Amino acid sequence: MKIYTRRGDEGQTDLQNMDRVSKASPRIEAYGNVDEVNSLVGRVRPTGYDDVDEWLAAVQNHLHIIQADFANPEPDDDDPVVRDEHVETIEQWIDTADEELEPLTAFILPGGGDAGARLHHARAVCRRAERRAVVLLEEEEGVNEAAVSYLNRLSDFLFVLARLVNARDGVPEENPTY
């Protein structure tokens, strides 16, 4: 398989069903942003914490499923899709990680140690990916709503993980001043 095909040189690309669309279409924009989140999550690992690294590895696989899901406007029953169970799993992980943290009482500035700051960055890009997914959901029929919910929950999870890693690393949270 060649890496380059020249088929995209004029600003078009293929979807899973081989339909040609603009590279600026909401569908391409949505799964392109998910790809960016996936790359940033990959940049965080390894954090030095086995539980966090296992969660992030699973998240990367979930994000890959979302990319495939968004790239396929007409999925078959056996095609990969994110389901409500994936969202519930993220919620369980948030609850588990949150048990180790002091309650959040104010806004915090994104940053901290290396892994914590990278998790905050991934969270911010995840929010953008969610916004692009909402545009796709609003403009096209048949978009998997569970994938949009997953991205919403994932940004919360990345925030909690940033706090968790920073706490474990002994890096204090900073609050904004107004």
Side-chain angles (χ1 to χ4, degrees):
M1 174 177 171
K2 282 187 130 179
I3 296 299
Y4 63 91
T5 63
R6 298 188 176 116
R7 288 182 43 81
D9 290 352
E10 294 178 10
Q12 299 281 307
T13 192
D14 295 318
L15 295 177
Q16 170 71 21
N17 65 359
M18 299 310 291
D19 284 353
R20 298 284 290 165
V21 297
S22 168
K23 289 184 176 185
S25 79
R27 186 170 294 280
I28 305 305
E29 192 63 29
Y31 75 71
N33 276 269
V34 173
D35 185 31
E36 188 175 356
V37 175
N38 205 345
S39 296
L40 288 171
V41 171
R43 175 82 176 88
V44 175
R45 289 190 309 133
T47 62
Y49 301 103
D50 290 341
D51 56 346
V52 174
D53 291 342
E54 288 174 20
W55 288 331
L56 292 175
V59 162
Q60 285 196 278
N61 283 291
H62 297 165
L63 289 171
H64 195 75
I65 293 169
I66 292 174
Q67 289 173 252
D69 191 349
F70 286 171
N72 191 355
E74 300 167 353
D76 293 327
D77 289 340
D78 60 340
D79 285 331
V81 294
V82 166
R83 294 181 168 66
D84 291 334
E85 298 84 49
H86 292 97
V87 177
E88 292 164 7
T89 296
I90 291 285
E91 290 172 349
Q92 292 169 0
W93 293 341
I94 290 170
D95 293 342
T96 298
D98 209 32
E99 289 174 5
E100 194 175 323
L101 295 169
E102 293 295 321
L104 188 64
T105 59
F107 287 109
I108 62 170
L109 296 172
D114 190 44
R118 286 184 276 144
L119 283 160
H120 276 296
H121 184 196
R123 173 203 47 82
V125 175
C126 187
R127 285 286 186 211
R128 177 170 19 100
E130 178 191 2
R131 292 189 302 271
R132 299 287 67 83
V134 168
V135 169
L136 176 62
L137 182 67
E138 291 174 348
E139 293 189 8
E140 296 194 26
E141 292 183 23
V143 175
N144 182 0
E145 292 183 26
V148 179
S149 296
Y150 183 91
L151 293 171
N152 182 25
R153 214 67 82 252
L154 177 59
S155 60
D156 296 334
F157 184 48
L158 294 171
F159 176 77
V160 170
L161 285 183
R163 292 189 69 220
L164 179 65
V165 168
N166 280 335
R168 288 179 179 178
D169 287 347
V171 178
E173 295 177 338
E174 295 180 42
N175 303 107
T177 57
Y178 300 98

